[in-house]
Amino acid sequence: MPALPVPVVTIGLLVLSNLFMTFAWYGHLKYKAAPLVAVILVSWGIAFFEYLLQVPANRIGYGHFSAAQLKTIQEVITLTVFCAFSVLYLKEPLHWNHALGFGFIALGAFFIFHRW
């Protein structure tokens, strides 16, 4: 069976790692009554699994992508995952200014990836 292409593996691992990290960073916001120490410990536990995916993603992707491209991929995925998380989990709507700001970030990604 042929191996998956490097971009597929890299991006797939980064998407999965972002799901963990988004919950580690923002999942506790629904539980304001939880003690801060408990929230920190749970977040660290969740972040451990993020690192198990993110570090290999960057290791696999580096060489096919530059470090700047890997970081850009990471940020675009982070915003995409966060938008879904914000709407579906936190029940916070996104507004036109969010879309505009994210559009500018996407424009920045274009400049990172475009061959000049």
Side-chain angles (χ1 to χ4, degrees):
M1 179 173 173
L4 293 173
V6 169
V8 171
V9 173
T10 301
I11 292 169
L13 288 171
L14 289 174
V15 167
L16 292 173
S17 76
N18 263 281
L19 290 170
F20 281 103
M21 205 58 183
T22 300
F23 272 96
W25 284 5
Y26 302 103
H28 62 88
L29 295 178
K30 287 182 84 170
Y31 305 99
K32 297 292 273 181
L36 185 56
V37 172
V39 167
I40 290 169
L41 293 174
V42 169
S43 292
W44 275 355
I46 295 169
F48 171 76
F49 295 100
E50 185 267 345
Y51 274 84
L52 289 178
L53 297 165
Q54 189 267 346
V55 171
N58 284 330
R59 178 83 50 121
I60 292 165
Y62 187 65
H64 184 87
F65 298 109
S66 70
Q69 288 173 326
L70 283 169
K71 183 60 179 171
T72 302
I73 292 166
Q74 174 75 25
E75 293 303 326
V76 169
I77 291 170
T78 297
L79 284 174
T80 303
V81 168
F82 181 77
C83 285
F85 179 85
S86 181
V87 170
L88 299 173
Y89 184 77
L90 295 177
K91 307 294 186 207
E92 292 186 5
L94 296 176
H95 301 287
W96 69 268
N97 56 320
H98 301 129
L100 181 62
F102 295 158
F104 281 123
I105 292 168
L107 184 61
F110 166 78
F111 283 109
I112 296 291
F113 280 92
H114 186 73
R115 297 205 185 265
W116 299 95

